[in-house]
Amino acid sequence: MDGKLRNMTSLYLTNEKGILCLYRIGSRVANNKYIGTAGGHFEADELNDARRCVLREMQEELGLEETDLTGLRLRYITHRLKDGEIRQNYYFFARLKEDRQLTSSEGVLQWIPYDQIAELNMPVSAKHMILHYCSAGRFDDTLYAGITEGTGTTFVPMLEFEG
């Protein structure tokens, strides 16, 4: 293991009925899979600021500004080892302030009811995270950390360290 890192962010927009997902078409990373509405790799000046990265990606891919959202929060951080890289994903959740139609040049946006999320073809870490969110995370404000291995992802609440 040589210590290479790949840092990525994703944004999931929610409402009372479900989650807005992007069916990504033509991507070298997540082709023909469902993912968050916006996201991508950190730029060099964003390495210590996941929020800054997700806001840039959101503006580039959806044309949204932070003022278009309510409750933007980092909710999950997942880690996995793949192809010799430690892949760290920072998942943000928010709601649109108004019911507006969004478009994406990255694929097709679709509202997915919470009870249908399990049926989606998604990247492994995102799939485990979104299933945890649907069953537990959407009912609290906890930040969760997850380690993904071949058998699944183990999530633990990240609490403020007081030691």
Side-chain angles (χ1 to χ4, degrees):
M1 179 69 230
D2 60 8
K4 287 195 171 212
L5 302 175
R6 182 181 298 241
N7 294 294
M8 298 163 280
T9 60
S10 291
L11 173 67
Y12 287 86
L13 299 174
T14 65
N15 65 21
E16 304 77 34
K17 298 177 185 175
I19 300 172
L20 186 62
C21 291
L22 173 70
Y23 183 74
R24 190 157 236 171
I25 301 169
S27 168
R28 62 183 166 80
V29 177
N31 191 37
N32 299 328
K33 293 185 179 187
Y34 284 90
I35 58 171
T37 56
H41 296 89
F42 282 51
E43 300 291 334
D45 63 334
E46 298 166 338
L47 289 179
N48 292 317
D49 194 344
R51 184 183 192 93
R52 185 172 169 192
C53 180
V54 81
L55 289 172
R56 176 187 52 79
E57 292 284 354
M58 180 181 71
Q59 201 284 322
E60 289 175 2
E61 295 178 13
L62 298 173
L64 292 176
E65 301 295 332
E66 187 172 5
T67 56
D68 294 318
L69 306 176
T70 60
L72 178 65
R73 295 195 55 190
L74 176 62
R75 295 297 314 281
Y76 288 85
I77 303 167
T78 62
H79 296 79
R80 71 180 171 135
L81 184 60
K82 181 165 175 32
D83 299 330
E85 293 178 321
I86 299 170
R87 297 189 178 183
Q88 301 177 117
N89 292 279
Y90 298 82
Y91 298 100
F92 287 80
F93 285 76
R95 290 181 180 245
L96 287 171
K97 279 190 177 174
E98 57 187 61
D99 188 25
R100 58 186 277 202
Q101 296 296 318
L102 297 176
T103 59
S104 174
S105 61
E106 307 278 328
V108 178
L109 292 167
Q110 182 179 355
W111 284 100
I112 308 294
Y114 289 112
D115 64 355
Q116 294 177 19
I117 291 288
E119 300 167 23
L120 300 182
N121 181 22
M122 301 178 88
V124 66
S125 293
K127 178 80 166 212
H128 297 162
M129 178 279 304
I130 209 70
L131 291 174
H132 186 274
Y133 177 82
C134 288
S135 67
R138 73 182 170 124
F139 302 109
D140 63 37
D141 289 329
T142 304
L143 174 61
Y144 291 95
I147 301 292
T148 301
E149 299 179 291
T151 58
T153 303
T154 302
F155 290 99
V156 296
M158 287 187 71
L159 305 174
E160 188 68 33
F161 186 74
E162 297 182 20

